[in-house]
Amino acid sequence: MSRPLGVILAGGQATRMGGGDKGLLPLGDGTILSHVIDRLAPQVAGLALNANGDPARFDGLNLPVLPDSIADFPGPLAGVLAGLDWAAAQGAETIVTVAADTPFFPCDLVARLLEVAQGMTHPLVLAATPRPENERTKSLSRSGLIRHPTFGLWPVALRDDLRAALNDGLRKVVLWTDKHDGREALFEDPGDPFFNVNTPEDLQQARAMRKDSA
């Protein structure tokens, strides 16, 4: 399997942060988004950013900015579709997506997704972590796992199927991945490898986590 392209999903509305672009908030000597880029870039063959609105605010990143092709903020699957359409134009077979507000994801994310995808006709794998025993089952859980739907390996070959599903009203990632026998890559890394910044309190925690790891 050829090296995938990377797509950073930043198409959400960040309502719990008061709106705006969470990825552009300061973190250490950069922004949340710059940390995401630094982690993902070495793992992929090229990078693009899925974001809506005026792309000029990301000019300093020197990345293609891909808006959703489905209106009204239908969720991360629309960003996945935008990434797959971009990748198809590049002649790529797969993309790996990450969230723009998750600055500490594993530095071997792509390798581990690809390992799980071996033998699949259409490589489709979501990252997952173990569900704590004392935590209520979430809608994204399966067999004791919490799936992280913005962190995945996606096949360009299924982009038209995904487009049709979105146009039919599908919004939940795992309903589509389960339909296509998607797999899970289990990440049992210490701490919370997919910690994301949703609130001002999360941002303070992210800053403390960065200082601890420096």
Side-chain angles (χ1 to χ4, degrees), residues 131-146:
R131 179 170 60 84
E133 292 181 6
N134 61 349
E135 183 175 300
R136 291 184 179 181
T137 301
K138 296 182 178 180
S139 60
L140 299 178
S141 298
R142 185 168 77 177
S143 302
L145 300 180
I146 297 174

Side-chain angles (χ1 to χ4, degrees), residues 90 111 148 175:
Q90 311 300 310
H148 300 274
L175 291 180

Side-chain angles (χ1 to χ4, degrees), residues 42-59:
Q43 303 185 51
V44 294
L47 270 181
L49 178 69
N50 161 241
N52 297 299
D54 185 359
R57 66 194 192 278
F58 300 111
D59 281 351

Side-chain angles (χ1 to χ4, degrees), residues 9-84:
L9 301 177
Q13 296 174 287
T15 54
R16 282 183 282 177
M17 288 291 287
D21 296 291
K22 288 187 289 184
L24 298 181
L25 294 171
L27 180 63
D29 55 358
T31 63
I32 297 173
L33 186 53
S34 69
H35 284 74
V36 171
I37 291 169
D38 289 346
R39 286 204 171 224
L40 186 58
Q43 303 185 51
V44 294
L47 270 181
L49 178 69
N50 161 241
N52 297 299
D54 185 359
R57 66 194 192 278
F58 300 111
D59 281 351
L61 301 179
N62 296 315
L63 295 178
V65 178
L66 317 172
D68 293 347
S69 59
I70 309 292
D72 300 323
F73 300 101
L77 278 176
V80 172
L81 177 60
L84 291 173

